Amino acid sequence: MKPGNTFREESDRERAIFEAGIKLGALYHQWVGTPVSQESAASVETAIEKAVILQPFVEEITVRLDRFAMKKNVFGYSELSGLMFDAEIVTRVGFSYCRAALAPDNGYPLMRILECHEIASLSDH
Amino acid sequence: MKPGNTFREESDRERAIFEAGIKLGALYHQWVGTPVSQESAASVETAIEKAVILQPFVEEITVRLDRFAMKKNVFGYSELSGLMFDAEIVTRVGFSYCRAALAPDNGYPLMRILECHEIASLSDH
Amino acid sequence: MKPGNTFREESDRERAIFEAGIKLGALYHQWVGTPVSQESAASVETAIEKAVILQPFVEEITVRLDRFAMKKNVFGYSELSGLMFDAEIVTRVGFSYCRAALAPDNGYPLMRILECHEIASLSDH
Amino acid sequence: MKPGNTFREESDRERAIFEAGIKLGALYHQWVGTPVSQESAASVETAIEKAVILQPFVEEITVRLDRFAMKKNVFGYSELSGLMFDAEIVTRVGFSYCRAALAPDNGYPLMRILECHEIASLSDH
């Protein structure tokens, strides 16, 4: 790397952002390829949510799968693909929260940070 | 291959066996690695069953995950591993059924054929 | 099940067929979703072949990924999908071999038995 | 959430951190479960590296798999598990770089930020 500034200690906010990225990347690659249909989609949403909430630093997770994107193959079902995901996660490290999302954007299953939030700690008063 | 007999047309029974193998192999590698706990295990069992039953030639599928094998890591959860699976599937092609299973055997997640069954068709009478 | 004939002991040929199904189902669901491009496809083919050949009862495995099916997303790469696979496997149990394949058929990534082969054992002479 | 400060525009540095998290989470869950041995490990390392480098914002990726952790099962091979990974990634967004790692820590496959680095842009002079 070229000269510049190096930071070796990340903030809670940065760690919350990092954890949100980890969880969205993990969720995507764990579940892509699962056989799915409009009838079974709810069970997959529930299973993903219950799996993700187990992981450290996760405060909230909601997963919705796009039923309209579930085109049936010759045997009448689909496979879970990246563009079917509409997921939102909230991670927390210390007093810092990160809200991030996975959703289709320009034909790509985009993951992005929605907002960060830092709660005033008692010691700030 | 050495000289011998070659069969190019498989029977319904053989196809039912082949399909049972496909589904067990698929199930295993789709879901291994999923974060899981004793509390979330039921949601994973349901999601797997609802995913497998969508696939062609599947008549029945039951999945039980071994809660006792779910040792907690430092963050209090486990990952779904091969030895946690106790699954049984019935596939059907024509009048032939195959019942097969995935379960631990000597420390290995073994898949095996339990039995095949052929129903007498009307034309046999 | 209705009345009929039940077989509890499968033949070597049937076990070879079962094992071929397991390996094709496993391969598919392990690797679907992997980021891939025309430049990296060969490394994925090699890694899959070297992984599958480790498994019991596998004699031969060849995997070819369809470069033409690798449509670039907005970031210039693709994800490995079922229809990109052209794989052929030979399994062996005892003196029985099964050759099976995974390849696109009518827009579905179809797995099928190509042929079975039984070698005359010494005791047959 | 409780009252506090909300930030809706993340910095390049934060996006680099987010992207590093995504890639490590994705890598882990895509590849866990792959059959592997000491002989095949290099092919898996290469395939993972070539897959990850395709993804947006990735500048460098190195993956080493712990051969000593590859305990053989009854059939003589292992499955890729989280604790076998020693991976390091560098992501870049604008003039900001993030170096992050996945490696065993206290029996857990820990992902963490190693350092961030910001290069002075021309316009700073």
Side-chain angles (χ1 to χ4, degrees):
Chain A
M1 296 181 190
K2 300 177 200 166
N5 297 313
T6 299
F7 307 88
R8 292 221 163 67
E9 285 297 309
E10 72 276 12
S11 66
D12 282 355
R13 176 176 162 180
E14 288 165 342
R15 287 188 58 209
I17 288 170
F18 184 62
E19 294 294 334
I22 291 171
K23 271 60 177 185
L24 291 180
L27 173 166
Y28 186 98
H29 285 271
Q30 179 63 53
W31 301 76
V32 157
T34 303
V36 73
S37 71
Q38 297 187 1
E39 290 69 35
S40 75
S43 73
V44 177
E45 290 167 345
T46 300
I48 298 178
E49 290 176 351
K50 285 181 182 284
V52 175
I53 203 75
L54 292 174
Q55 297 178 279
F57 310 111
V58 179
E59 293 283 306
E60 298 175 26
I61 173 75
T62 54
V63 177
R64 288 298 163 267
L65 302 176
D66 182 355
R67 272 73 169 165
F68 292 104
M70 297 178 185
K71 308 295 180 216
K72 291 183 181 178
N73 60 31
V74 292
F75 292 108
Y77 68 101
S78 303
E79 279 193 8
L80 189 53
S81 68
L83 293 171
M84 292 178 189
F85 281 107
D86 186 351
E88 201 171 304
I89 192 167
V90 177
T91 52
R92 180 178 67 83
V93 175
F95 293 101
S96 292
Y97 293 78
C98 174
R99 183 182 299 273
L102 160 59
D105 182 280
N106 191 22
Y108 185 82
L110 194 69
M111 300 179 193
R112 64 204 169 90
I113 303 169
L114 296 179
E115 62 175 16
C116 293
H117 188 86
E118 289 173 78
I119 292 178
S121 71
L122 290 183
S123 60
D124 292 348
H125 295 284
Chain B
M1 295 179 189
K2 301 179 199 165
N5 296 314
T6 298
F7 306 89
R8 291 220 166 67
E9 285 297 309
E10 72 275 12
S11 66
D12 282 354
R13 175 177 164 180
E14 288 165 341
R15 287 188 58 208
I17 289 171
F18 184 62
E19 294 295 333
I22 292 172
K23 271 61 178 185
L24 290 179
L27 172 166
Y28 186 98
H29 285 271
Q30 179 63 53
W31 300 77
V32 156
T34 302
V36 73
S37 71
Q38 297 187 2
E39 290 69 33
S40 75
S43 73
V44 177
E45 291 167 345
T46 301
I48 298 178
E49 289 176 351
K50 285 181 182 283
V52 175
I53 202 75
L54 292 174
Q55 296 177 280
F57 310 112
V58 179
E59 293 283 307
E60 298 175 25
I61 172 75
T62 55
V63 177
R64 289 298 163 265
L65 301 177
D66 182 355
R67 272 72 169 164
F68 292 104
M70 297 179 185
K71 308 296 180 212
K72 291 183 181 178
N73 60 30
V74 291
F75 293 107
Y77 68 100
S78 303
E79 278 192 10
L80 188 54
S81 68
L83 294 171
M84 293 178 189
F85 281 106
D86 185 350
E88 201 170 304
I89 192 167
V90 177
T91 51
R92 180 178 68 81
V93 175
F95 292 102
S96 292
Y97 293 79
C98 173
R99 183 181 300 273
L102 160 60
D105 183 280
N106 191 21
Y108 185 81
L110 194 69
M111 300 178 194
R112 64 204 170 89
I113 302 169
L114 296 178
E115 62 174 16
C116 293
H117 189 84
E118 289 172 78
I119 293 177
S121 71
L122 291 183
S123 60
D124 292 349
H125 295 284
Chain C
M1 295 182 191
K2 301 180 200 166
N5 296 314
T6 299
F7 306 89
R8 292 220 164 67
E9 286 296 310
E10 72 275 13
S11 66
D12 283 353
R13 176 178 164 179
E14 288 164 342
R15 288 188 57 210
I17 288 171
F18 184 61
E19 295 294 333
I22 292 172
K23 271 61 177 185
L24 291 179
L27 172 167
Y28 186 97
H29 285 271
Q30 179 64 52
W31 301 77
V32 156
T34 303
V36 73
S37 71
Q38 297 187 1
E39 289 70 35
S40 75
S43 73
V44 177
E45 291 167 345
T46 301
I48 299 177
E49 290 176 350
K50 285 180 182 284
V52 175
I53 202 76
L54 292 174
Q55 296 177 280
F57 310 111
V58 180
E59 293 283 306
E60 298 176 25
I61 173 73
T62 54
V63 177
R64 289 297 163 266
L65 301 176
D66 183 355
R67 272 73 170 164
F68 292 105
M70 297 178 185
K71 307 296 180 214
K72 291 182 180 179
N73 61 29
V74 292
F75 293 107
Y77 68 100
S78 303
E79 280 192 7
L80 189 53
S81 68
L83 293 171
M84 292 179 190
F85 280 107
D86 185 351
E88 202 171 305
I89 192 168
V90 177
T91 52
R92 180 178 67 83
V93 175
F95 293 101
S96 291
Y97 293 78
C98 174
R99 182 181 301 273
L102 159 59
D105 183 281
N106 191 20
Y108 186 81
L110 193 69
M111 299 178 194
R112 63 202 170 88
I113 303 169
L114 296 179
E115 62 174 17
C116 294
H117 188 86
E118 289 173 78
I119 292 177
S121 71
L122 291 183
S123 60
D124 292 349
H125 295 284
Chain D
M1 296 179 189
K2 301 177 198 167
N5 296 313
T6 299
F7 306 89
R8 292 222 164 67
E9 285 296 309
E10 72 276 12
S11 65
D12 282 355
R13 176 176 163 179
E14 289 165 342
R15 288 188 58 209
I17 288 170
F18 184 62
E19 295 295 334
I22 291 170
K23 271 62 178 185
L24 291 179
L27 173 165
Y28 185 98
H29 285 272
Q30 179 63 52
W31 299 77
V32 157
T34 302
V36 73
S37 71
Q38 296 187 2
E39 290 69 34
S40 75
S43 74
V44 177
E45 291 167 344
T46 300
I48 298 177
E49 289 176 351
K50 285 181 182 284
V52 175
I53 202 75
L54 291 174
Q55 296 176 281
F57 310 112
V58 179
E59 293 283 306
E60 298 174 25
I61 173 74
T62 55
V63 177
R64 289 297 163 266
L65 302 175
D66 183 356
R67 272 73 168 166
F68 292 104
M70 296 177 186
K71 308 296 179 214
K72 291 183 180 179
N73 60 30
V74 292
F75 292 107
Y77 68 100
S78 303
E79 279 193 9
L80 189 54
S81 69
L83 293 171
M84 292 179 190
F85 280 106
D86 186 350
E88 202 171 304
I89 192 168
V90 177
T91 51
R92 180 178 67 83
V93 175
F95 293 100
S96 292
Y97 293 78
C98 173
R99 183 181 300 273
L102 160 60
D105 181 281
N106 192 20
Y108 185 80
L110 194 69
M111 300 179 195
R112 63 203 171 88
I113 303 169
L114 296 179
E115 63 174 16
C116 293
H117 188 85
E118 289 173 78
I119 293 177
S121 71
L122 291 183
S123 59
D124 293 349
H125 295 284

